């Protein structure tokens, strides 16, 4: 365990989420690209996803935090820090965190955006927890939010069927009970992933020009097979490593909370950890891959369905563009 020298752990004390109302089911994609409902269901596990027509990532994030505030009574002026994990910021600058701050009226907060793609929430959780553990902050919001429809190419069947829009948020607060909250994390990056999952246009390497638009460089490109291979191994290895580092057996783990990119990757990870299917959180069928939002939205839904209890050992696990990947051991702290 990492917590031997800590005075505080970061505990999750409130949750919230937001998904837009508009649903795109698999039949919709049969009309716009060469695919079938059957292919999408069997190869990915996705049945439908949500799409935000009007508005941006900051709206998704702000709505998730408003849901958190409504369910917990947290007042916006109490928030010390807002960390927004996203790869679809409203714009390159200002940071989405600033736009969210204004939308929710968090008048005493500072904050920043964190770019780690599908591992963004795990990286944000660790960063937020470190601020809490430092003793300097009492109320840190970590929110995973992505409007993936803004960078998906709806003429490319390889990618457009995979993604959806959504956001989910946690409130982190200090606790002196070191048996609950974020216990430990194993986080990794490897730039070898730059060749198989990326969006080339719009940054300092390829600023937007007519040419970058003509070449569709402002859309997601993914070499699905390569990413799949890295993801299956990366997520399973790091999840098992996290269990072993925390001295947890499969009986001790209440739930694996995997990033929701592909049901086959999720199942393989659960199997490697020796977990029965009912201990593996899943909501990919409803929302597709919402990038930074998948892990906190799974937890929010399972908590609200009464499936989580205080003291439950959760292993959170993700793999994404970069490559970025990792796992965290979180002990649930809400009744
Ligand atoms: N409908 C029908 N056929 C499709 C299709 C679609 N929507 N998308 C791809 N195909 C085709 C491919 O063109 C390919 O055809 P080909 O053999 O004639 O070239 C065939 O299906 C098989 O492609 P393949 O890449 O082997 O499929 P797959 O079983 O690996 O599934 C993904 C594709 C994208 C679902 C899968 O690779 C995946 O989930 N990758 C990892 C995603 C991930 O974890 N990302 C990280 C975080 S974002």
């Amino acid at each position: 365990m990492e917590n031997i020298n800590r005075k505080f752990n970061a505990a999750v004390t409130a949750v919230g989420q937001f998904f837009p109302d508009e649903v795109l089911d698999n039949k919709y994609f049969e009309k716009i690209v060469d695919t079938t409902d059957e292919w999408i269901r069997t190869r990915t596990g996705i049945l439908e996803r949500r799409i935000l027509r009007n508005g941006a990532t900051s709206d998704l994030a702000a709505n998730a935090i408003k849901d958190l505030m409504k369910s917990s009574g947290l007042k916006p002026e109490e928030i010390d820090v807002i960390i927004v994990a996203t790869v679809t910021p409203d714009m390159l600058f200002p940071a989405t965190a600033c736009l969210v701050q204004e939308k929710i009226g968090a008048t005493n907060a500072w904050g920043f955006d964190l770019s780690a793609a599908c591992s963004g929430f795990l990286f944000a959780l660790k960063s937020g927890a470190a601020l809490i553990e430092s003793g300097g902050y009492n109320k840190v919001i970590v929110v995973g939010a992505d409007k993936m429809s803004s960078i998906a190419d709806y003429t490319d069947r390889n990618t457009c069927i995979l993604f959806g829009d959504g956001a989910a948020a946690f409130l982190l607060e200090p606790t002196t009970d070191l048996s609950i909250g974020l216990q430990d994390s194993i986080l990794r990056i490897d730039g070898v992933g730059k060749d198989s999952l990326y969006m080339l246009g719009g940054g300092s390497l390829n600023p937007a020009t007519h040419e970058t638009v003509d070449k569709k460089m402002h859309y997601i490109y993914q070499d699905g097979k390569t990413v799949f291979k890295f993801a299956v191994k990366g997520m399973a290895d790091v999840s098992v490593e996290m269990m072993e580092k925390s001295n947890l057996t499969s009986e001790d783990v209440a739930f694996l909370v995997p990033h929701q990119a592909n049901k086959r990757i999720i199942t393989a990870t659960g199997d490697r950890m020796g977990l029965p299917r009912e201990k593996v959180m899943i909501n990919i069928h409803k929302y597709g891959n919402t990038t930074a939002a998948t892990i906190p939205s799974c937890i929010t839904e399972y908590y609200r369905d009464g499936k989580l209890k205080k003291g439950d050992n959760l292993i959170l696990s993700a793999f994404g563009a970069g490559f970025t990947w990792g796992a965290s051991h979180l002990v649930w702290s809400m009744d």
Side-chain angles (χ1 to χ4, degrees):
M1 299 276 182
E2 248 185 5
N3 63 15
I4 301 162
N5 298 318
R6 283 187 214 140
K7 274 179 31 197
F8 309 108
N9 263 6
V12 179
T13 55
V15 294
Q17 67 174 6
F18 177 77
F19 288 97
D21 292 333
E22 185 172 342
V23 175
L24 295 188
D25 62 12
N26 291 345
K27 290 278 173 203
Y28 170 84
F29 289 89
E30 288 183 349
K31 288 183 229 140
I32 61 166
V33 289
D34 180 14
T35 192
T36 60
D37 170 48
E38 212 257 332
W39 192 96
I40 301 172
R41 261 189 297 114
T42 53
R43 305 310 290 162
T44 71
I46 300 166
L47 304 185
E48 57 187 43
R49 63 296 279 148
R50 302 297 182 91
I51 298 296
L52 184 73
R53 289 283 170 202
N54 301 308
T57 295
S58 64
D59 297 301
L60 297 167
N63 280 322
I65 299 168
K66 283 179 189 167
D67 178 48
L68 178 153
M69 292 194 293
K70 197 171 161 205
S71 66
S72 65
L74 176 75
K75 295 190 176 58
E77 57 275 14
E78 293 179 90
I79 299 169
D80 297 317
V81 186
I82 303 166
I83 305 175
V84 182
T86 188
V87 284
T88 50
D90 288 25
M91 48 195 114
L92 278 178
F93 69 89
T96 308
C98 302
L99 309 173
V100 171
Q101 177 279 331
E102 192 187 30
K103 282 178 181 169
I104 63 170
T107 45
N108 296 308
W110 67 283
F112 54 91
D113 290 6
L114 191 154
S115 174
C118 298
S119 309
F121 193 79
L122 286 194
F123 288 23
L125 184 63
K126 175 67 188 168
S127 307
L131 292 172
I132 295 279
E133 289 158 17
S134 75
Y137 300 96
N138 289 317
K139 288 186 167 41
V140 175
I141 293 281
V142 285
V143 55
D146 272 299
K147 182 178 172 175
M148 296 307 289
S149 63
S150 66
I151 56 169
D153 176 358
Y154 286 92
T155 65
D156 176 12
R157 70 176 183 175
N158 291 292
T159 50
C160 69
I161 53 116
L162 297 171
F163 296 100
D165 303 337
F170 284 179
L171 172 64
L172 301 178
E173 292 188 86
T175 173
T176 52
D177 178 356
L178 300 185
S179 70
I180 58 172
L182 187 67
Q183 302 293 313
D184 203 353
S185 298
I186 302 168
L187 305 172
R188 301 268 185 269
I189 59 172
D190 187 340
V192 70
K194 71 183 184 310
D195 300 324
S196 37
L197 182 49
Y198 51 77
M199 189 180 96
L200 281 180
S204 57
L205 183 63
N206 299 292
T209 62
H210 287 293
E211 195 191 353
T212 63
V213 173
D214 289 344
K215 288 185 171 167
K216 297 189 165 195
M217 288 163 72
H218 301 269
Y219 291 131
I220 305 159
Y221 170 82
Q222 174 169 251
D223 170 358
K225 270 191 186 100
T226 303
V227 177
F228 189 89
K229 273 186 218 145
F230 274 98
V232 164
K233 184 167 164 35
M235 249 172 79
D237 283 355
V238 79
S239 304
V240 170
E241 196 184 338
M242 189 71 261
M243 266 173 81
E244 289 173 357
K245 197 170 172 221
S246 289
N247 291 319
L248 297 173
T249 66
S250 49
E251 280 79 45
D252 300 327
V253 175
F255 285 101
L256 164 68
V257 192
H259 169 56
Q260 311 279 306
N262 187 313
K263 196 173 176 189
R264 291 179 290 145
I265 301 173
I266 293 169
T267 306
T269 305
D271 289 350
R272 272 279 305 283
M273 294 168 73
L275 298 176
R277 294 287 143 83
E278 63 272 15
K279 283 191 173 190
V280 179
M281 286 194 190
I282 191 135
N283 67 8
I284 191 174
H285 51 292
K286 293 193 284 185
Y287 306 121
N289 182 351
T290 53
T291 303
T294 62
I295 287 177
S297 81
C298 268
I299 293 177
T300 299
E301 290 197 339
Y302 275 64
Y303 171 67
R304 288 182 172 173
D305 287 347
K307 293 178 183 156
L308 285 183
K309 57 181 193 309
K310 193 171 176 181
D312 276 350
N313 286 302
L314 308 180
I315 298 289
L316 286 47
S317 174
F319 190 94
F323 294 124
T324 57
W325 72 104
S328 293
H329 173 203
L330 177 71
V331 178
W332 195 244
S333 41
M334 291 169 71
D335 289 316

